[in-house]
Amino acid sequence: MPSYYDYTVPVPAVKNISWKKIKGYVYIYYTYAREKSANGTMSAKNHTIGKLKPGTNPPEMYPNISYYAHFKPDASKAPEIPPPASDLAKDGIEARAKLLLAGLTLLRDSYRDLVQEIRSSGGDPAELDKQIAALIEPEWV
């Protein structure tokens, strides 16, 4: 499941928020849509957007990528999420595309930080580049 950032943000004060306790932790969910299932019942489509920080009042949470895909929080902490192409707005694809773009943005930023650390310690990031290149398969696209 998603990783959580090491800083907190306020739990969004919107009506589509729910809390679920799992193995001693409270996770915050955001319901972004509802759809009718094959048997005719309404089904919630939701994502976990954070993990509650215990003992905070008002409640705070450790956010994850999904938080930034659904909300427009403090721009100084948010990863840059480019808008999806217009043809992605069909059938819930847009929400999944936003999550992918947010994840790739976080990955890009993490890569830049790691390369900077390698260089500042006198290393050469060429081996890291080789390992990453081995993971990327051109036939994916």
Side-chain angles (χ1 to χ4, degrees):
M1 206 57 195
S3 295
Y4 297 93
Y5 292 102
D6 61 354
Y7 55 84
T8 61
V9 296
V11 173
V14 297
K15 67 179 183 176
N16 294 347
I17 297 291
S18 60
W19 304 32
K20 186 186 281 187
K21 190 170 188 174
I22 303 171
K23 295 183 180 179
Y25 295 101
V26 177
Y27 295 90
I28 311 299
Y29 287 82
Y30 174 66
T31 300
Y32 60 90
R34 297 190 183 277
E35 68 182 10
K36 198 175 268 191
S37 66
N39 66 5
T41 60
M42 292 302 284
S43 171
K45 297 184 88 173
N46 57 39
H47 288 137
T48 177
I49 59 167
K51 184 166 55 171
L52 187 67
K53 179 179 181 182
T56 55
N57 189 12
E60 294 182 0
M61 67 179 189
Y62 297 99
N64 64 18
I65 286 290
S66 293
Y67 172 73
Y68 291 106
H70 293 289
F71 296 92
K72 304 288 186 216
D74 180 4
S76 68
K77 293 182 177 177
E80 182 182 328
I81 304 173
S86 60
D87 63 340
L88 296 178
K90 300 178 250 170
D91 301 325
I93 296 173
E94 182 176 5
R96 291 189 348 238
K98 283 182 180 180
L99 288 174
L100 176 63
L101 292 170
L104 290 172
T105 300
L106 182 62
L107 179 64
R108 179 200 63 202
D109 294 346
S110 296
Y111 171 78
R112 285 180 184 164
D113 292 346
L114 185 56
V115 166
Q116 185 177 3
E117 285 180 36
I118 291 170
R119 286 187 177 139
S120 66
S121 66
D124 181 7
E127 183 58 35
L128 176 63
D129 290 340
K130 282 187 219 174
Q131 291 177 10
I132 291 172
L135 293 173
I136 300 172
E137 301 176 26
E139 62 270 7
W140 285 0
V141 180

